[in-house]
Amino acid sequence: MSTHIIRYETKPDRADENQLLVEAVFEQLKAERPEGLHYATFRMEDGVSFVHIVGYDDDDADLLRPLTAFKAFQQDAADRMIAPAQRGSATVVGSYGFFGE
């Protein structure tokens, strides 16, 4: 499985909007239930920082980008953020119940 972590900080007046857009992605995921995708988003206690953790069973899969709600989330993401998102691949060292195991 490939795992990616994306971190960013939104402008204070855009954080709630960002959360609503993320919630719409999860609503579409619940409706469509794509196989092989593991996804979680966290809003940090500062209220403006977000962390997304994305795991794909198939390293070549990209199951988020085709989603209408994800496209809407990405559409003006740069305008909602203070600085570009930090993205990186990660290797899962251990997990308990996080990826549905």
Side-chain angles (χ1 to χ4, degrees), residues 51-91:
V51 176
H52 299 247
I53 301 174
V54 185
Y56 296 106
D57 290 344
D58 177 356
D59 291 346
D60 295 325
D62 190 355
L63 302 170
L64 282 175
R65 288 188 205 280
L67 298 175
T68 303
F70 190 75
K71 289 177 185 177
F73 165 74
Q74 285 193 312
Q75 188 171 13
D76 68 343
D79 292 336
R80 291 191 308 274
M81 295 178 196
I82 290 178
Q86 298 176 334
R87 303 168 194 274
S89 295
T91 301

Side-chain angles (χ1 to χ4, degrees), residues 12-91:
D13 63 330
R14 307 284 305 269
D16 289 340
E17 173 190 0
N18 192 75
Q19 180 170 331
L20 289 172
L21 289 163
V22 170
E23 289 171 350
V25 172
F26 283 98
E27 287 300 315
Q28 186 173 1
L29 288 171
K30 278 192 238 178
E32 296 185 13
R33 307 188 65 76
E35 292 288 324
L37 173 65
H38 311 277
Y39 185 40
T41 302
F42 303 88
R43 186 172 182 177
M44 305 306 288
E45 66 183 80
D46 66 7
V48 295
S49 298
F50 290 79
V51 176
H52 299 247
I53 301 174
V54 185
Y56 296 106
D57 290 344
D58 177 356
D59 291 346
D60 295 325
D62 190 355
L63 302 170
L64 282 175
R65 288 188 205 280
L67 298 175
T68 303
F70 190 75
K71 289 177 185 177
F73 165 74
Q74 285 193 312
Q75 188 171 13
D76 68 343
D79 292 336
R80 291 191 308 274
M81 295 178 196
I82 290 178
Q86 298 176 334
R87 303 168 194 274
S89 295
T91 301

